Amino acid sequence: MHLFPRYVLEKHFRILWILTALSSFFFCKPSSSAIGNNPYFELFANHKITQSGRYQGPEKNWETRISTLDSVEQNFIFELNKIDGFEDSPQPETDPEIWKNRLALVRKNLPASINSIMDQILLKVVFCRNLGGTGVSSFVYDSQRPIGGVVFLDTEMLNQTANDWITAKENSPFRSGSVDLKLKIERDPKNDIVSALEYILLHEVGHILSVTQKIVPDFRDKNRNFSKHEFSKGIWETETESLLDPDFPFRKRIRFYTKEPIDLSSNWDRIYPILITTPFPTLYSAMNGDDFFAESFVSYVHTILQNKIWNLELRQNKKKLFEMENGIGERRCKKQKEFLDRLFQKTR
């Protein structure tokens, strides 16, 4: 199974990564001997949206590079959704002004180093509806060189505060039962829609950065081998095959936004206590090789650069069963944090 990186909300309960989602989205691959292991190869090799000529002369600041969906972009999402097995037909957002204002607030909230990176690689933010996910990334090439990307955002799905959104996402693989899972990424009064938008956007920017900096295999490669890339070496072999599976066998059973959720009450001790022994900073980062970097990136920006909270709790009958912080600042993710430390020095 495979899927392109996208974030979705509880409104659309389907298996997804879009790339991952960015949850986790999964698509059954044809034989690798026939066309390789990358079902997106033809789309990214040939579609007009990936050509740099569409993005000449951008505005200086990333948050001003805003538009609603045009016909070329609409066709790209339609073709992407076909690959991922989605039936959604995207439509332009008819009233983007409120979202332009929210993106301006996101820029004010972000560190200068992050805005600098986004000014370089975030070539466009496209507002639409019926996207098939909350956010989706695409990539832009100058000849064969990846230079940036486009983020698509579904305004109909960006309707929850940060803590409500991420708690719903973290609960989406599980059936409700006697164990209550809550995740907090913002303190009041910052627990709002703008903060949720910021976190989602940073995840998508992480996908774009991972391609432009060649941290993950390129989407124009017919075969994507993660074991040859420093960040994922020793952890991922292909996008969905992890070398850590013998120690974390339950990982493959977890699907975000699935129609067949797992019972958390009887399985939590096979998930989160194992997770905190791995270099996966969050459960979502354990879904595939692409989201491993994107989640590590947003975790680094959120908890290290912005010094914000990230706290997950499991409770049963009001008694705490388990608690964890984001792993990016812990010893288990030392390699990933050091990589990101070097990356930020390189990109300044």
Side-chain angles (χ1 to χ4, degrees):
M1 303 288 284
H2 179 325
L3 229 160
F4 187 76
R6 56 181 101 187
Y7 260 173
V8 300
L9 289 176
E10 197 167 0
K11 174 183 175 184
H12 287 194
F13 275 90
R14 28 182 169 188
I15 43 181
L16 89 105
W17 157 55
I18 202 183
L19 189 139
T20 92
L22 192 106
S23 132
S24 302
F25 316 42
F26 301 84
F27 175 83
C28 294
K29 301 177 189 175
S31 167
S32 60
S33 61
I35 63 168
N37 66 11
N38 178 15
Y40 306 104
F41 164 71
E42 291 288 347
L43 183 64
F44 281 95
N46 299 313
H47 202 279
K48 290 181 180 179
I49 197 177
T50 68
Q51 299 171 7
S52 61
R54 281 179 52 87
Y55 309 95
Q56 292 177 351
E59 298 289 339
K60 180 179 179 181
N61 293 342
W62 66 263
E63 79 281 5
T64 63
R65 304 168 193 166
I66 297 169
S67 74
T68 59
L69 199 70
D70 66 23
S71 60
V72 175
E73 295 157 348
Q74 188 175 38
N75 175 261
F76 172 82
I77 297 298
F78 179 77
E79 294 298 329
L80 181 65
N81 281 350
K82 280 203 304 185
I83 295 173
D84 290 338
F86 297 166
E87 297 178 357
D88 303 83
S89 179
Q91 300 298 320
E93 167 58 51
T94 57
D95 185 18
E97 287 304 314
I98 187 174
W99 298 101
K100 292 180 181 181
N101 295 335
R102 286 171 173 168
L103 285 185
L105 292 174
V106 170
R107 183 179 184 100
K108 290 181 179 179
N109 292 339
L110 291 175
S113 59
I114 302 302
N115 281 318
S116 177
I117 290 172
M118 293 169 69
D119 286 342
Q120 296 175 51
I121 68 172
L122 183 52
L123 303 184
K124 198 173 186 183
V125 179
V126 179
F127 292 108
C128 59
R129 300 183 180 188
N130 206 35
L131 176 64
T134 305
V136 182
S137 308
S138 180
F139 312 108
V140 176
Y141 296 81
D142 183 3
S143 184
Q144 292 301 310
R145 183 173 66 93
I147 60 170
V150 180
V151 170
F152 297 85
L153 296 172
D154 189 327
T155 58
E156 290 184 313
M157 299 182 74
L158 293 167
N159 57 5
Q160 292 180 295
T161 63
N163 292 338
D164 285 347
W165 165 73
I166 202 162
T167 294
K169 180 172 80 76
E170 193 76 12
N171 274 284
S172 67
F174 309 119
R175 285 197 300 271
S176 58
S178 61
V179 172
D180 182 41
L181 185 160
K182 289 189 178 179
L183 180 53
K184 293 184 66 174
I185 58 173
E186 287 288 355
R187 296 184 175 92
D188 292 334
K190 287 292 188 179
N191 180 32
D192 53 24
I193 291 177
V194 171
S195 293
L197 174 63
E198 176 184 312
Y199 203 93
I200 292 164
L201 185 62
L202 285 172
H203 178 97
E204 298 302 331
V205 169
H207 284 302
I208 297 171
L209 186 65
S210 70
V211 171
T212 60
Q213 295 293 316
K214 302 185 186 303
I215 297 165
V216 301
D218 195 82
F219 277 81
R220 286 186 170 183
D221 294 341
K222 288 186 178 180
N223 286 284
R224 302 183 71 221
N225 184 348
F226 283 74
S227 66
K228 294 183 178 180
H229 292 257
E230 179 187 352
F231 193 81
S232 52
K233 187 176 182 180
I235 300 170
W236 294 97
E237 186 172 1
T238 67
E239 184 191 350
T240 57
E241 296 295 323
S242 174
L243 296 170
L244 303 184
D245 284 345
D247 297 322
F248 192 4
F250 210 83
R251 183 195 72 83
K252 285 190 172 183
R253 293 184 56 185
I254 300 167
R255 299 287 184 267
F256 281 73
Y257 304 99
T258 180
K259 293 180 180 179
E260 299 179 356
I262 299 165
D263 180 60
L264 182 61
S265 301
S266 58
N267 291 297
W268 70 268
D269 57 342
R270 293 192 280 176
I271 301 171
Y272 289 103
I274 306 302
L275 177 68
I276 62 172
T277 69
T278 74
F280 302 131
T282 68
L283 185 61
Y284 196 68
S285 71
M287 295 301 97
N288 58 70
D290 289 297
D291 278 321
F292 178 51
F293 179 79
E295 277 291 287
S296 296
F297 173 79
V298 67
S299 296
Y300 183 91
V301 175
H302 186 81
T303 65
I304 304 298
L305 297 186
Q306 295 181 292
N307 196 30
K308 291 186 177 184
I309 62 169
W310 195 107
N311 177 264
L312 181 147
E313 279 192 0
L314 300 178
R315 289 182 175 269
Q316 189 172 46
N317 299 323
K318 298 184 179 181
K319 179 181 178 181
K320 186 185 298 183
L321 291 177
F322 179 85
E323 183 176 16
M324 69 171 281
E325 306 297 320
N326 192 297
I328 199 65
E330 299 179 351
R331 184 171 182 81
R332 64 189 180 89
C333 296
K334 183 174 182 288
K335 174 184 172 182
Q336 286 66 47
K337 181 182 179 298
E338 290 178 347
F339 182 98
L340 287 160
D341 287 339
R342 296 195 305 272
L343 179 65
F344 274 86
Q345 290 296 325
K346 176 182 176 182
T347 54
R348 282 174 185 166

